[in-house]
Amino acid sequence: MNETFVTNITEDGTKLFTYHVQPIMDERPELPDSWEEPLKSWIAPWDTIDHQIYTMLDNKVAMTGYCREGYIELSSDFSGSSYQIHGECYEAASAEDRTWFSAS
C-alpha cells in the first residue's frame, strides 16, 4: 500500500494530520465463472480492511511520535480504493514538535 502522513501545526499549537492510503492493485486476469465462489473467500471483507487501515494509522502515529497522547478522528473518507483520515492530536505542539514536524 502507498501511504502518506502529512502533519500540520497551526499557530495556536493545534496538531493536525492527514493520513492517506491507497492500495496497490494489480490487474487480475479474467477467470472462469467456476472460480468466482472460491475467490470470494479470499477477498477481505470491508470491516477487515477498515481495521487494517486504522491499525496502520496507529502504527504511523506511534512510529513518528506525532500524537504522544492519542488523537481524535475529525473525518474520514473511504471511497473506491482510496482511504483518507483527518485527525487532531490531544496534546498541543511543543517547541520540539514545531522543529521536527514543521517541514512535514
Side-chain angles (χ1 to χ4, degrees), residues 5-98:
F5 184 69
V6 179
T7 61
N8 177 28
I9 299 176
T10 64
E11 286 187 29
D12 70 356
T14 302
K15 293 166 53 175
L16 304 169
F17 66 84
T18 300
Y19 183 66
H20 182 259
V21 176
Q22 186 165 9
I24 300 170
M25 302 283 191
D26 292 333
E27 277 192 44
R28 273 195 281 182
E30 286 294 317
L31 299 172
D33 290 338
S34 62
W35 289 19
E36 184 177 337
E37 286 303 315
L39 283 177
K40 284 181 182 178
S41 66
W42 293 0
I43 299 171
W46 283 108
D47 60 339
T48 302
I49 293 170
D50 288 350
H51 177 75
Q52 181 182 6
I53 299 299
Y54 282 99
T55 299
M56 291 171 60
L57 170 58
D58 291 342
N59 290 338
K60 180 63 78 173
V61 168
M63 184 181 74
T64 61
Y66 188 65
C67 297
R68 293 178 301 280
E69 297 176 19
Y71 65 88
I72 185 169
E73 181 182 316
L74 300 176
S75 66
S76 60
D77 180 27
F78 301 125
S79 58
S81 63
S82 181
Y83 305 87
Q84 189 162 287
I85 301 169
H86 299 278
E88 179 180 338
C89 300
Y90 288 132
E91 78 277 1
S94 65
E96 186 176 90
D97 289 333
R98 291 181 186 279

